[in-house]
Amino acid sequence: MTGTRRRQVVWWLRGAALVAFLVYLPGYFSSRQGGLVEVERWLNHPVLLLGTAVALAMASAVAQFEFRTRWAQIGCAAVLSPLLVVGAAVGALAYFFGGDGRLVDRKPDPDRSDRVLSITDIAFSIDPVYRVELVSGTGWSARHWSLGTWGDEEGFLRADWSGPGEITVTLEHETRVFTVDKGGTLGEPSVTPRPRRSL
């Protein structure tokens, strides 16, 4: 490979790595409070996209070196090929099987069909971990707000619409009441301790 051709390959690899990183950024920002649901679902895949960016950056660094002998070229290919295959396999598995968890319950607002309370079990083990979210809007304009994530040991009991624009999350030792404004934005909770049961 000539020096000019090698430089072109290096810059193509670096450009592709930058594209993968830039594609991931909207997904990352959409995973935060008030982020777009569909953008997060399609682009918030750090293992796949950031892994691709790192692999391409490493390949561009290796491509800069000039391997003059055939054995040096074979050795480089023997080292890089398994890394690329394993990285691609891990990224594909993370994309297809690293979903958003198992939906436990979905409760539309009785007064507004465009607001939904979702409860998802996001645990990787037998013990459940519940993520409670409010989704406001529909389609590509839908946004989400997290009410919290609680493990089974933290005593999560339920989450319900308790009134117009009001959500109550009941835990074993406290109750959290969230208000939803007219624009669909979630406010800070009002926390009330629950009386402990006597044995």
Side-chain angles (χ1 to χ4, degrees):
M1 185 185 295
T2 64
T4 302
R5 179 67 177 159
R6 185 182 300 108
R7 283 192 294 274
Q8 289 175 344
V9 169
V10 167
W11 284 109
W12 274 105
L13 291 170
R14 288 178 180 172
L18 180 61
V19 167
F21 177 72
L22 293 176
V23 165
Y24 167 68
L25 283 181
Y28 167 73
F29 287 114
S30 291
S31 69
R32 300 163 78 179
Q33 291 283 68
L36 293 167
V37 174
E38 290 297 318
V39 173
E40 180 194 15
R41 187 167 72 87
W42 284 97
L43 301 180
N44 188 27
H45 298 286
V47 174
L48 178 64
L49 293 172
L50 292 182
T52 299
V54 170
L56 290 170
M58 288 176 55
S60 74
V62 172
Q64 288 184 93
F65 298 110
E66 182 179 358
F67 298 100
R68 294 181 180 273
T69 67
R70 179 172 296 279
W71 286 110
Q73 294 170 358
I74 292 172
C76 176
V79 170
L80 281 182
S81 297
L83 290 176
L84 293 175
V85 170
V86 169
V90 169
L93 288 172
Y95 182 81
F96 289 110
F97 297 106
D100 296 327
R102 179 181 62 86
L103 184 64
V104 174
D105 204 354
R106 183 178 183 277
K107 302 178 180 181
D109 185 339
D111 301 317
R112 296 276 304 262
S113 61
D114 61 340
R115 294 180 184 172
V116 176
L117 185 61
S118 69
I119 303 168
T120 309
D121 180 5
I122 59 171
F124 290 106
S125 63
I126 296 173
D127 297 328
V129 176
Y130 298 106
R131 179 180 65 201
V132 182
E133 281 190 320
L134 166 68
V135 177
S136 295
T138 58
W140 284 93
S141 64
R143 296 182 178 274
H144 65 98
W145 282 267
S146 173
L147 284 77
T149 302
W150 295 277
D152 194 38
E153 71 280 355
E154 294 169 292
F156 174 80
L157 299 176
R158 64 184 179 274
D160 299 291
W161 293 97
S162 51
E166 185 178 275
I167 300 169
T168 299
V169 176
T170 306
L171 306 174
E172 189 176 341
H173 301 298
E174 66 182 28
T175 301
R176 299 185 179 197
V177 179
F178 297 82
T179 56
V180 184
D181 68 17
K182 292 181 180 180
T185 303
L186 191 70
E188 290 296 318
S190 169
V191 181
T192 305
R194 297 183 73 213
R196 294 178 181 270
R197 293 180 180 178
S198 58
L199 299 175

